[in-house]
Amino acid sequence: MTRLVFALFLLAVAVLLHARLARHRRRDQRLTERWAALAVDPYHAVHDRWWPEDDVQAAAARLFLDGLATVTRRGNIAVTPAGADPARGAGHPLPDALLAALRRRTAPAPLGNVLANDPDFGPARDEFLAACRARFPEPGPERGSCCLVVLGVAVLAMQMVLGVVVLLDRVPRGTVEWVAAAVTAVALAAQFVWLDRDDRLRRRNEGRDRVAERLQAEGPHPALVELEARHPETAAALASGRFRFRRGRNHGRPRRKRRLPVD
């Protein structure tokens, strides 16, 4: 009878462990569904992509499509008369910050040069991205006492060892002992399965960036898609200008070589 009671105890512990695991999985599923339903700013969604497809490139494309900036064949960007008007704006913090940077320029320059030399655009971009990320707070860790966790692990390990000892102590005799042995074996197997699945769940959540996962689900920025469809030459020039950090005052013409005076 003692063997059967102990077997039922092991089975109850296994049920409680799997119920806890199921609760954690439901919590993760609810978090995933909630994050999937959150609206993402299109500029925030592409901020960590490679240069020709990131948020800065999208902001420049939006300024061009709205008639606030022009792009030359060499990728130099400058404000138009409409963009130079202080009363005009792009209607979004990031394109507005880029427009302000272009207004501070005295001549057209490639986008890479603007970003490298303008002192105010970088902080404005960081402030915008921080505000966007603050809308997606990471779920905090579950509350619990460290001592209780350690005690629970110790009790779990002890009862698993006792279960193995009881199961392998001697050959069961009679129906009750055989039933107790079967229940003990099932309970121990369920607990070992729980250890494996709980470890997998914990490793999957360690270092998990839910913000990055949510942003990766978004497609390219609409402004870049529209610019590529309507003005592919401008899109290519704007992308090439992102990799140039010098303004190039000769407008693409070869520079004259200085000749030393001949004696």
Side-chain angles (χ1 to χ4, degrees):
M1 197 62 170
T2 304
R3 287 173 174 265
L4 183 59
V5 172
F6 184 69
L8 293 177
F9 169 76
L10 292 179
L11 186 61
V13 172
V15 171
L16 290 176
L17 292 176
H18 281 273
R20 178 177 177 272
L21 182 64
R23 183 170 63 87
H24 287 179
R25 288 180 174 177
R26 287 196 300 268
R27 177 174 176 267
D28 285 349
Q29 184 178 3
R30 288 195 300 268
L31 285 174
T32 302
E33 293 174 353
R34 187 182 69 182
W35 281 60
L38 290 176
V40 178
D41 188 288
Y43 292 95
H44 183 211
V46 298
H47 82 279
D48 60 345
R49 301 187 184 181
W50 73 306
W51 282 1
E53 296 181 358
D54 68 351
D55 53 340
V56 177
Q57 206 75 14
R62 176 49 56 196
L63 294 180
F64 176 82
L65 293 172
D66 292 346
L68 301 177
T70 59
V71 180
T72 65
R73 291 182 303 174
R74 298 188 67 245
N76 292 337
I77 185 171
V79 294
T80 62
D85 185 2
R88 292 289 302 273
H92 190 279
L94 194 60
D96 283 338
L98 181 58
L99 182 61
L102 295 177
R103 287 171 179 169
R104 289 189 288 268
R105 304 288 302 187
T106 58
L111 191 56
N113 180 271
V114 175
L115 300 179
N117 297 307
D118 190 86
D120 297 330
F121 178 76
R125 182 192 184 195
D126 294 338
E127 182 180 356
F128 162 72
L129 294 176
C132 289
R133 194 173 183 92
R135 297 179 56 248
F136 300 90
E138 284 285 356
E142 293 186 351
R143 296 180 180 179
S145 173
C146 181
C147 295
L148 292 178
V149 173
V150 173
L151 180 61
V153 171
V155 172
L156 178 63
M158 182 178 64
Q159 61 91 32
M160 292 180 70
V161 172
L162 289 177
V164 173
V165 171
V166 171
L167 183 64
L168 303 178
D169 182 27
R170 59 182 175 84
V171 178
R173 299 177 181 177
T175 305
V176 175
E177 290 191 359
W178 276 107
V179 171
V183 173
T184 301
V186 171
L188 288 175
Q191 291 183 19
F192 281 111
V193 169
W194 172 83
L195 286 175
D196 178 66
R197 293 183 177 179
D198 184 71
D199 181 65
R200 290 183 181 181
L201 182 63
R202 184 171 56 255
R203 284 185 299 175
R204 187 182 67 180
N205 290 333
E206 284 180 355
R208 184 178 183 183
D209 191 347
R210 295 181 183 272
V211 177
E213 293 178 1
R214 180 65 182 89
L215 299 184
Q216 289 175 0
E218 297 292 320
H221 195 279
L224 294 175
V225 176
E226 183 180 357
L227 183 64
E228 183 66 32
R230 294 174 54 186
H231 308 281
E233 299 85 0
T234 302
L238 190 62
S240 65
R242 184 65 179 276
F243 297 95
R244 292 174 44 233
F245 300 95
R246 301 184 63 181
R247 189 161 60 89
R249 298 180 180 179
N250 59 334
H251 300 285
R253 295 188 296 272
R255 298 189 179 188
R256 296 179 180 179
K257 296 182 179 179
R258 287 189 176 183
R259 296 183 179 180
L260 296 177
V262 180
D263 293 337

